[in-house]
Amino acid sequence: MAAPSETKGLEFIARSFIAGGVSGMCAKTSIAPLDRVKILLQAHNVHYKHLGVVRTLKHIVIKENFLALYKSNGAQMVRIFPYAAVQFMSYEQYKKIMTQFFGQHSHISKMIAGSCAGVSAVTVTYPLDMVRARLAFQVTGEHVYTGISHTLRSIVTKEGGVRALYRGFSPTILGMIPYAGTRWTLLGDGCSWQR
């Protein structure tokens, strides 16, 4: 049988994991239409490249339908729950380790723990981010992919194996280190569960 402190620690980890995942899902769903517009405009989609943000939102509804604003949000939810959960949970674990070296209230501890948490989360979920982007880029009537598993299989079989799922990973990691480190330094213990 587990000791009470071990049980409390596992409970804390589980709560952090679930809280991080659910909050990430809520946040990403609320901005899903803007996220799709961003991908369409970034990738210079032929149907929307000449439009701005508001006109693209309007044209998606007209050309496709209202639910098309949320295209790829299912893949986003599959990605964001583990991403946010791993980041939130691992931040707490990394912070415990870093405080041994830099002290309890050190900004360096929070910066390093946040960066490590961000890198951990991205490493686990990067293939799903690629899938989400591919699905969001599709326009009704021109679908190449039929869903999450089809997209994963297509990338692996037609574009170079599992390694193809991590195309663009290096710049993502280089951006995540300062982004997550700064984010967690500024938010720090305000995001933590109270024990």
Side-chain angles (χ1 to χ4, degrees), residues 116-144:
C116 290
V119 168
S120 296
V122 166
T123 301
V124 169
T125 62
Y126 191 80
L128 293 169
D129 193 32
M130 180 174 284
V131 167
R132 177 195 59 90
R134 298 275 179 105
L135 291 172
F137 187 72
Q138 298 185 127
V139 175
T140 299
E142 301 174 0
H143 287 131
V144 175

Side-chain angles (χ1 to χ4, degrees), residues 83-163:
Y83 172 84
V86 166
Q87 188 176 44
F88 197 79
M89 177 194 68
S90 65
Y91 170 74
E92 294 295 334
Q93 304 312 308
Y94 287 125
K95 190 174 77 170
K96 283 180 189 175
I97 295 166
M98 292 302 120
T99 56
Q100 293 173 7
F101 297 102
F102 301 105
Q104 182 67 30
H105 301 290
S106 166
H107 290 300
I108 302 266
S109 302
K110 293 174 186 176
M111 175 75 84
I112 294 171
S115 294
C116 290
V119 168
S120 296
V122 166
T123 301
V124 169
T125 62
Y126 191 80
L128 293 169
D129 193 32
M130 180 174 284
V131 167
R132 177 195 59 90
R134 298 275 179 105
L135 291 172
F137 187 72
Q138 298 185 127
V139 175
T140 299
E142 301 174 0
H143 287 131
V144 175
Y145 307 108
T146 58
I148 297 169
S149 62
H150 178 253
T151 308
L152 282 168
R153 277 194 316 275
S154 296
I155 292 169
V156 169
T157 58
K158 297 176 185 174
E159 297 181 29
V162 175
R163 191 173 180 181

Side-chain angles (χ1 to χ4, degrees), residues 1-192:
M1 185 168 178
S5 61
E6 255 182 68
T7 304
K8 187 176 179 183
L10 292 175
E11 181 183 318
F12 178 74
I13 290 170
R15 286 190 330 195
S16 294
F17 187 84
I18 292 168
V22 170
S23 67
M25 290 174 74
C26 292
K28 282 296 188 179
T29 297
S30 70
I31 62 157
L34 292 173
D35 207 31
R36 176 150 193 244
V37 167
K38 175 191 81 171
I39 289 169
L40 290 169
L41 296 178
Q42 279 179 334
H44 218 225
N45 184 285
V46 67
H47 299 284
Y48 301 108
K49 67 183 180 181
H50 59 285
L51 304 173
V53 174
V54 174
R55 287 182 63 208
T56 299
L57 286 166
K58 180 180 173 185
H59 277 76
I60 288 170
V61 173
I62 292 168
K63 182 172 179 53
E64 299 179 65
N65 62 41
F66 178 78
L67 290 179
L69 293 171
Y70 293 88
K71 189 176 282 184
S72 85
N73 196 50
Q76 177 75 298
M77 294 302 98
V78 170
R79 179 191 79 88
I80 202 62
F81 184 90
Y83 172 84
V86 166
Q87 188 176 44
F88 197 79
M89 177 194 68
S90 65
Y91 170 74
E92 294 295 334
Q93 304 312 308
Y94 287 125
K95 190 174 77 170
K96 283 180 189 175
I97 295 166
M98 292 302 120
T99 56
Q100 293 173 7
F101 297 102
F102 301 105
Q104 182 67 30
H105 301 290
S106 166
H107 290 300
I108 302 266
S109 302
K110 293 174 186 176
M111 175 75 84
I112 294 171
S115 294
C116 290
V119 168
S120 296
V122 166
T123 301
V124 169
T125 62
Y126 191 80
L128 293 169
D129 193 32
M130 180 174 284
V131 167
R132 177 195 59 90
R134 298 275 179 105
L135 291 172
F137 187 72
Q138 298 185 127
V139 175
T140 299
E142 301 174 0
H143 287 131
V144 175
Y145 307 108
T146 58
I148 297 169
S149 62
H150 178 253
T151 308
L152 282 168
R153 277 194 316 275
S154 296
I155 292 169
V156 169
T157 58
K158 297 176 185 174
E159 297 181 29
V162 175
R163 191 173 180 181
L165 293 172
Y166 283 88
R167 193 171 291 126
F169 184 66
S170 298
T172 301
I173 290 295
L174 292 174
M176 181 54 67
I177 292 168
Y179 169 77
T182 303
R183 177 178 176 257
W184 283 104
T185 301
L186 296 174
L187 296 176
D189 298 325
C191 287
S192 302

